[in-house]
Amino acid sequence: MLFEKQEYKNRLSKVKSAMKKKGIDLLVSQDPANMNYLTGYDAWSFYYAQCVLVHINEDEPICFLRAQDMGGAYIKTYLQDKNIIKYDEKYIHTWPLHPYQYLVEIIKKRKWDKSNIGLEMDSHYFTAYCYKKINQGLPNAKLKDSERLINWVRLVKSNAEIELMKSAALISEIGMKTAIDSINPGVRQCDAVAEIQNTLFKGTLEFGGEYSSIATLLPTGKGTSASHLTATQDKFVMGEATIIELSGTYKRYHVPMARTVLLGKAEQKKIDAMKATNEALDAGITTTKPGNTADDVAQKFWAVLDKYNIKKESRTGYSIGIGYPPDWGEHTLNISKGDTTTLQPNVTFHMIAVMQFGDWGVEASESVRVTEKGAETFCKFSRELHIK
Amino acid sequence: MLFEKQEYKNRLSKVKSAMKKKGIDLLVSQDPANMNYLTGYDAWSFYYAQCVLVHINEDEPICFLRAQDMGGAYIKTYLQDKNIIKYDEKYIHTWPLHPYQYLVEIIKKRKWDKSNIGLEMDSHYFTAYCYKKINQGLPNAKLKDSERLINWVRLVKSNAEIELMKSAALISEIGMKTAIDSINPGVRQCDAVAEIQNTLFKGTLEFGGEYSSIATLLPTGKGTSASHLTATQDKFVMGEATIIELSGTYKRYHVPMARTVLLGKAEQKKIDAMKATNEALDAGITTTKPGNTADDVAQKFWAVLDKYNIKKESRTGYSIGIGYPPDWGEHTLNISKGDTTTLQPNVTFHMIAVMQFGDWGVEASESVRVTEKGAETFCKFSRELHIK
């Protein structure tokens, strides 16, 4: 087991408190990161319906999984066997049959079908179809959007979680070093990612890495205007910039990092944009401390951009921790103007500046931990435009 | 552009025919593989809402994307600029605001709000929340489940697509060779994946690889009873078996492969299970030809298992092609008893035998192409239990 049983119990207890406040008796969570957080379950099985059930009167969550994945739950979770429930393979790939039909049966059998049931309505894998199966199958239940209830419990990390993130940070640093070393004119993008992935999985002798919940992002040339492009078979070109966004991953915890490299002659507009971006990031990080809000951080960040007359529409950060594809963001804290979330010690977020200027862009980021009195960055790695 | 414009036009035309048959005027598709198939769009932006709109009277699909991802659509799609529509960053991470509110506005503005609108109700990223926004925002529309309409159009590959899959197959083969070479007693699982990923991205000199839509699956020891476990920092143990499932990926096309390796002394029950599995796979592949159904293939497969008194509940194959996380399956053809889909030339599927026996298992697979008269496997790689 990755954490002490007590840590899982504490998590469950916080989730139950939040459920009480929202008037939810039974929570259905299909978010793989939430499933991991509450049970330890960890497998690439989220491409079919599965979930965790949390009932306000039960001592343990229930893990609801495809039959083929039961074995994984015995190995990975802290749950008693009776709380690992499988659904039959007949529900796989046989629409209109659907695993949630059996979920509905389980809920009825336990007489929870007249309860207030919380659903993660905008969670990635909670499809409209899952919702319809529950809605039609449980006509006496009161369904409500639990929103990101478990995600909000995940916002403040335990010290044990912070330690895992520090290990992930070591992996991010060596991954980025490999990236900057590997990106050279005439090298295929895929060959650079081959080296990056190799490093991210090897990690260090003490801490080996895992698959990240987002592929290495590697927009290059004109592609730097689009932050989510991935590597192709094309070659890097002298004179062009490349953005690298990656994350070391340790025990599913992520500490992402973005940097920009420029091949060949220094280009003043890009150097200037990078400098302003870094000044803005620093202003935000300096403002990060318990008691301040996400808005406070955002205001200071954008004040610097305003000074340089730089317009940026997108948010500049989000909470991080456990991640599964397609995202390493936790979907809670949002570093943008107007987000009044108050920072607390051991809140962790990715402060990322995606800067787009028509057909080019630069990027840099820091993964940040709120400390007792201020903030610290997980990684130590120059944010300058890496010109080579 | 990856394909001739005519190929995209043909795809659109087939989708429109299918829409007509289902009585759908406007189709909203959020499946990233379907978006890629119809427009060429390719970026890791699917962690926020986005979609393709196909209207029965329009010459081109519309790509609906987050502002930050517009640049990627200009680079990757064949669409005219007017058919790339961005939504504002204010819709990102600011619930109850949601990108689909703006989508609703667009649909209204074009006076499509009284149409028959098809929605991919069980598509991974089409959340209950997306559905609610459309349902509430378009009260005059007739919403219906388009099911896997575009996915079914993808079932039969063009020759150009087959060529890309043949390139992916080359990458799968060298990836699996690296896997079997790297898995040794005392080696950390993550270090083996480091080598595997390195090979899968490097590909060949002619064909470089890409991120796969499923991480390298690497259940080992007792974990072989759970096919979706991924690599940890633990070491491989002498005497234990390891299942490897991976896919070479080229231009988003996947050709997956699974094999089992056993470290140390040959264990008869595993050798026997592997032998029976391979005989069953061969029986299925031999039955694969145009005119036969998925059920025909499945019957022959299970007849062999019956002969050996082996029980297997899960399906044994599914169509493959373009893939994005979390899946490389196309969600159409299902190699299982009762699936009456008729095979046609250039249907491609992953015939996979996940064999579980309590606390152990073995696996093997072939990616198969239906030819004019029969079938061929994409890869040539021994399926025997690799004992070393």
Side-chain angles (χ1 to χ4, degrees):
Chain A
M1 223 188 323
L2 183 53
F3 297 96
E4 302 286 330
K5 196 167 172 182
Q6 191 53 47
E7 175 142 358
Y8 288 110
K9 293 288 178 195
N10 292 346
R11 295 172 179 186
L12 182 65
S13 157
K14 286 181 200 167
V15 166
K16 282 186 181 177
S17 296
M19 286 168 65
K20 273 180 197 157
K21 274 187 203 150
K22 282 209 183 223
I24 293 172
D25 306 311
L26 175 67
L27 182 57
V28 179
S29 173
Q30 189 161 345
D31 180 329
N34 289 344
M35 290 182 68
N36 175 308
Y37 185 73
L38 289 181
T39 72
Y41 184 68
D42 175 33
W44 194 292
S45 54
F46 41 86
Y47 67 98
Y48 270 103
Q50 56 181 26
C51 66
V52 149
L53 296 177
V54 181
H55 193 278
I56 209 85
N57 296 332
E58 297 288 322
D59 289 341
E60 276 187 11
I62 290 168
C63 217
F64 176 76
L65 293 170
R66 176 179 175 183
Q68 202 174 90
D69 296 310
M70 287 279 280
Y74 293 138
I75 292 168
K76 297 283 183 180
T77 76
Y78 81 92
L79 305 178
Q80 301 169 67
D81 288 359
K82 73 178 171 94
N83 288 324
I84 298 166
I85 297 182
K86 68 169 179 180
Y87 65 80
D88 198 278
E89 291 289 329
K90 76 178 180 191
Y91 293 106
I92 291 291
H93 202 145
T94 48
W95 296 273
L97 275 183
H98 190 275
Y100 269 39
Q101 285 171 242
Y102 186 55
L103 182 69
V104 158
E105 285 178 41
I106 289 165
I107 291 172
K108 281 183 174 169
K109 204 171 156 191
R110 292 180 185 235
K111 303 200 186 306
W112 295 339
D113 55 316
K114 285 170 191 146
S115 314
N116 296 304
I117 301 181
L119 304 172
E120 295 175 333
M121 294 292 283
D122 207 29
S123 168
H124 284 118
Y125 300 117
F126 188 68
T127 65
Y129 207 82
C130 292
Y131 172 70
K132 280 226 153 177
K133 288 291 168 192
I134 290 181
N135 195 33
Q136 290 165 355
L138 300 172
N140 299 316
K142 285 186 199 107
L143 305 182
K144 62 163 72 179
D145 191 350
S146 61
E147 296 173 327
R148 283 144 297 281
L149 186 154
I150 303 174
N151 306 56
W152 279 108
V153 172
R154 286 162 51 199
L155 178 66
V156 178
K157 307 295 178 286
S158 69
N159 287 334
E161 289 182 289
I162 295 290
E163 286 309 307
L164 298 178
M165 292 181 74
K166 285 182 178 172
S167 302
L170 294 175
I171 302 172
S172 299
E173 285 173 350
I174 57 172
M176 188 58 79
K177 183 173 182 315
T178 298
I180 290 172
D181 289 348
S182 309
I183 295 172
N184 290 303
V187 168
R188 295 186 307 177
Q189 297 170 30
C190 57
D191 289 330
V193 175
E195 299 309 320
I196 295 167
Q197 288 295 317
N198 186 265
T199 303
L200 290 175
F201 274 94
K202 275 193 180 138
T204 69
L205 284 179
E206 202 175 350
F207 308 108
E210 293 167 18
Y211 73 86
S212 159
S213 53
I214 300 183
T216 302
L217 301 176
L218 205 72
T220 186
K222 278 192 179 174
T224 54
S225 66
S227 49
H228 297 113
L229 295 180
T230 53
T232 68
Q233 295 75 19
D234 295 338
K235 291 175 179 172
F236 296 107
V237 175
M238 177 63 86
E240 291 193 345
T242 299
I243 292 166
I244 308 120
E245 189 176 345
L246 55 74
S247 181
T249 311
Y250 187 68
K251 309 282 184 189
R252 302 312 313 143
Y253 284 82
H254 291 71
V255 173
M257 193 199 295
R259 295 292 183 268
T260 307
V261 60
L262 179 59
L263 296 177
K265 217 175 51 155
E267 211 178 332
Q268 201 55 44
K269 72 173 182 185
K270 289 178 186 167
I271 294 172
D272 292 345
M274 195 79 257
K275 203 162 157 270
T277 301
N278 281 326
E279 193 180 323
L281 284 171
D282 284 334
I285 294 166
T286 309
T287 313
T288 299
K289 63 176 179 184
N292 277 357
T293 63
D295 177 77
D296 292 328
V297 176
Q299 293 291 351
K300 295 288 183 186
F301 175 88
W302 264 280
V304 174
L305 297 190
D306 291 346
K307 188 175 81 179
Y308 291 108
N309 248 319
I310 295 174
K311 214 174 157 187
K312 172 180 162 57
E313 305 281 357
S314 54
R315 66 173 177 179
T316 195
Y318 47 80
S319 52
I320 48 168
I322 301 172
Y324 284 91
D327 201 2
W328 55 48
E330 287 186 322
H331 309 154
T332 50
L333 178 77
N334 180 16
I335 307 289
S336 64
K337 288 183 187 175
D339 187 303
T340 56
T341 309
T342 301
L343 301 175
Q344 302 170 63
N346 281 0
V347 164
T348 52
F349 61 90
H350 188 210
M351 175 100 185
I352 177 158
V354 173
M355 312 301 292
Q356 299 183 332
F357 307 91
D359 63 353
W360 64 281
V362 295
E363 251 181 76
S365 76
E366 292 287 4
S367 285
V368 177
R369 170 198 184 188
V370 184
T371 58
E372 289 298 327
K373 294 188 170 173
E376 64 188 21
T377 60
F378 277 100
C379 298
K380 312 290 171 219
F381 199 101
S382 166
R383 288 198 313 264
E384 294 305 300
L385 188 62
H386 294 262
I387 302 168
K388 55 184 281 194
Chain B
M1 223 187 324
L2 183 53
F3 297 96
E4 301 287 328
K5 197 167 171 182
Q6 191 53 47
E7 174 142 358
Y8 288 110
K9 293 288 178 196
N10 292 348
R11 294 172 179 186
L12 183 64
S13 156
K14 286 181 200 165
V15 166
K16 283 185 180 178
S17 296
M19 286 167 65
K20 275 180 196 156
K21 273 185 206 154
K22 281 210 183 223
I24 292 171
D25 305 312
L26 175 66
L27 182 58
V28 179
S29 173
Q30 190 161 344
D31 180 328
N34 289 344
M35 291 181 68
N36 175 308
Y37 186 74
L38 288 182
T39 72
Y41 183 68
D42 175 33
W44 193 291
S45 55
F46 41 85
Y47 68 99
Y48 270 104
Q50 56 180 26
C51 66
V52 149
L53 295 177
V54 180
H55 193 279
I56 208 87
N57 296 332
E58 297 289 321
D59 289 340
E60 275 186 11
I62 291 168
C63 217
F64 175 76
L65 293 170
R66 176 179 176 183
Q68 202 174 90
D69 297 310
M70 287 280 280
Y74 293 138
I75 293 169
K76 297 284 184 180
T77 76
Y78 81 91
L79 304 177
Q80 301 169 67
D81 288 359
K82 74 178 171 95
N83 288 325
I84 298 166
I85 297 182
K86 69 169 177 180
Y87 65 80
D88 198 278
E89 291 289 328
K90 76 178 180 192
Y91 293 105
I92 291 292
H93 202 144
T94 49
W95 296 273
L97 276 182
H98 190 275
Y100 269 39
Q101 285 170 243
Y102 186 56
L103 182 69
V104 158
E105 285 179 41
I106 290 165
I107 291 173
K108 280 181 175 170
K109 204 170 156 191
R110 293 181 185 235
K111 304 199 186 306
W112 295 339
D113 55 317
K114 285 171 191 144
S115 313
N116 296 303
I117 300 182
L119 304 173
E120 295 174 335
M121 294 293 282
D122 206 30
S123 168
H124 285 117
Y125 300 117
F126 188 68
T127 66
Y129 207 81
C130 291
Y131 172 69
K132 279 226 155 176
K133 288 292 169 192
I134 290 180
N135 195 33
Q136 290 165 356
L138 301 172
N140 299 316
K142 283 186 202 108
L143 305 181
K144 64 162 74 179
D145 191 350
S146 62
E147 297 172 327
R148 285 144 295 282
L149 185 154
I150 302 173
N151 306 56
W152 279 108
V153 172
R154 286 162 52 199
L155 179 66
V156 178
K157 306 296 178 286
S158 70
N159 288 333
E161 288 182 289
I162 295 290
E163 286 310 306
L164 298 178
M165 293 181 73
K166 285 182 178 173
S167 302
L170 294 175
I171 302 172
S172 299
E173 285 173 350
I174 56 173
M176 188 58 78
K177 183 175 182 315
T178 297
I180 289 171
D181 288 348
S182 309
I183 295 172
N184 289 301
V187 169
R188 295 185 306 177
Q189 296 170 29
C190 57
D191 289 330
V193 176
E195 299 309 321
I196 296 167
Q197 287 295 317
N198 186 266
T199 303
L200 290 176
F201 275 95
K202 275 194 181 138
T204 69
L205 284 179
E206 202 176 349
F207 307 108
E210 293 168 18
Y211 73 86
S212 160
S213 53
I214 300 183
T216 302
L217 301 175
L218 204 72
T220 185
K222 277 192 182 176
T224 54
S225 65
S227 50
H228 297 113
L229 295 180
T230 53
T232 68
Q233 294 76 19
D234 294 338
K235 293 175 179 171
F236 295 105
V237 174
M238 178 62 87
E240 291 194 344
T242 299
I243 292 166
I244 308 121
E245 188 176 346
L246 54 75
S247 180
T249 312
Y250 187 68
K251 310 282 184 189
R252 303 310 315 143
Y253 284 82
H254 291 70
V255 174
M257 192 200 295
R259 295 292 183 270
T260 307
V261 59
L262 179 59
L263 296 177
K265 218 175 52 162
E267 211 177 333
Q268 201 55 44
K269 71 173 180 183
K270 290 178 186 167
I271 294 172
D272 291 345
M274 195 78 257
K275 204 163 157 271
T277 302
N278 281 326
E279 192 180 324
L281 284 171
D282 285 334
I285 295 166
T286 308
T287 314
T288 299
K289 62 176 180 183
N292 277 357
T293 63
D295 177 78
D296 292 328
V297 177
Q299 294 292 350
K300 295 287 183 188
F301 175 88
W302 264 280
V304 174
L305 297 190
D306 290 346
K307 187 175 79 179
Y308 292 108
N309 246 320
I310 295 174
K311 213 174 158 188
K312 172 180 162 57
E313 304 282 356
S314 55
R315 65 175 177 178
T316 196
Y318 47 80
S319 53
I320 49 168
I322 300 172
Y324 284 91
D327 201 2
W328 54 47
E330 288 186 320
H331 309 154
T332 49
L333 178 76
N334 180 17
I335 306 289
S336 64
K337 288 183 186 174
D339 188 301
T340 56
T341 309
T342 301
L343 301 175
Q344 302 170 62
N346 281 359
V347 164
T348 53
F349 61 92
H350 187 210
M351 176 99 184
I352 178 158
V354 173
M355 312 301 292
Q356 299 182 333
F357 307 91
D359 63 353
W360 65 280
V362 295
E363 250 181 78
S365 76
E366 292 287 2
S367 285
V368 176
R369 171 197 184 188
V370 183
T371 59
E372 290 297 325
K373 293 189 170 172
E376 63 187 21
T377 61
F378 278 100
C379 297
K380 311 289 170 219
F381 199 101
S382 166
R383 288 199 312 265
E384 295 305 301
L385 188 63
H386 294 263
I387 302 168
K388 54 183 283 194

